[in-house]
Amino acid sequence: MKKWLLIFALCGMVFAEEGVKQVVFDLKTGQLESFEKKVLQGIAYHKAHYEGKLEKLDVAVVIHGDAYKFFIKDLKNSPYKNDASLAKAHEDLSKRIATMANTYEVEFLMCEATMRTLKIDQSNVYDFVKMTPNSTIGLIDKQNEHFAYIPIH
């Protein structure tokens, strides 16, 4: 009897994983409006859609290009110190991005290669952001984990 219970439990875990969708966003844009619409609003919408179907959506975002600026703690000590529109939205953005990481369990991966080129210190990046050697490696890894690819350029 115990063997049958174990078999049913294992089958249940296998079937539960079938309801999981995975997506990796290739975030390259530095346009605030696009970031707002496609990342902050879009991910929340997509998560709710799949939860409504009793499915889970795992989300990863690979950060590179002009998108670094959205993940900086202190703009004054960054290449984005003169971006007035970013400075105005920074406090609100930081809270909303943290919510994406903590509440929606979004995995943020930042390209280290260009970070060094831009002289962005890792200590000035939000703590929940993980580093990847470069954006291509981050995207390859996620796609090899069967994440669907969506560009945000």
Side-chain angles (χ1 to χ4, degrees):
M1 181 66 156
K2 288 182 182 179
K3 288 181 185 178
W4 285 108
L5 289 174
L6 179 60
I7 290 170
F8 285 126
L10 291 173
C11 287
M13 289 190 311
V14 169
F15 289 123
E17 288 299 310
E18 287 181 16
V20 176
K21 309 289 186 207
Q22 298 173 302
V23 63
V24 60
F25 289 96
D26 179 5
L27 178 62
K28 189 175 179 181
T29 187
Q31 295 177 350
L32 186 55
E33 184 178 309
S34 182
F35 178 72
E36 165 84 25
K37 183 177 179 183
K38 295 178 180 177
V39 176
L40 299 178
Q41 293 174 359
I43 291 173
Y45 173 81
H46 301 310
K47 285 268 206 181
H49 170 81
Y50 285 105
E51 285 177 11
K53 296 172 69 174
L54 300 178
E55 295 178 316
K56 184 178 182 212
L57 179 64
D58 289 338
V59 178
V61 177
V62 175
I63 306 156
H64 62 116
D66 293 329
Y68 289 96
K69 67 183 181 179
F70 301 121
F71 299 88
I72 301 294
K73 290 180 191 176
D74 180 11
L75 294 177
K76 293 175 191 167
N77 294 317
S78 78
Y80 312 105
K81 59 186 168 202
N82 297 323
D83 188 330
S85 62
L86 179 63
K88 184 178 177 181
H90 187 259
E91 186 177 337
D92 180 56
L93 282 176
S94 67
K95 291 175 187 173
R96 294 176 70 200
I97 295 167
T99 297
M100 298 305 298
N102 300 322
T103 303
Y104 290 97
E105 299 176 335
V106 174
E107 179 182 23
F108 290 101
L109 302 165
M110 184 175 279
C111 168
E112 280 184 299
T114 304
M115 224 174 91
R116 286 190 298 273
T117 303
L118 294 173
K119 296 184 172 120
I120 297 171
D121 191 87
Q122 188 171 343
S123 66
N124 198 18
V125 174
Y126 296 128
D127 297 334
F128 52 80
V129 175
K130 299 173 187 171
M131 298 298 134
T132 186
N134 65 45
S135 59
T136 304
I137 289 171
L139 292 167
I140 290 169
D141 289 348
K142 287 300 172 189
Q143 289 181 70
N144 279 304
E145 293 171 18
H146 306 289
F147 279 62
Y149 171 82
I150 306 291
I152 303 176
H153 295 169

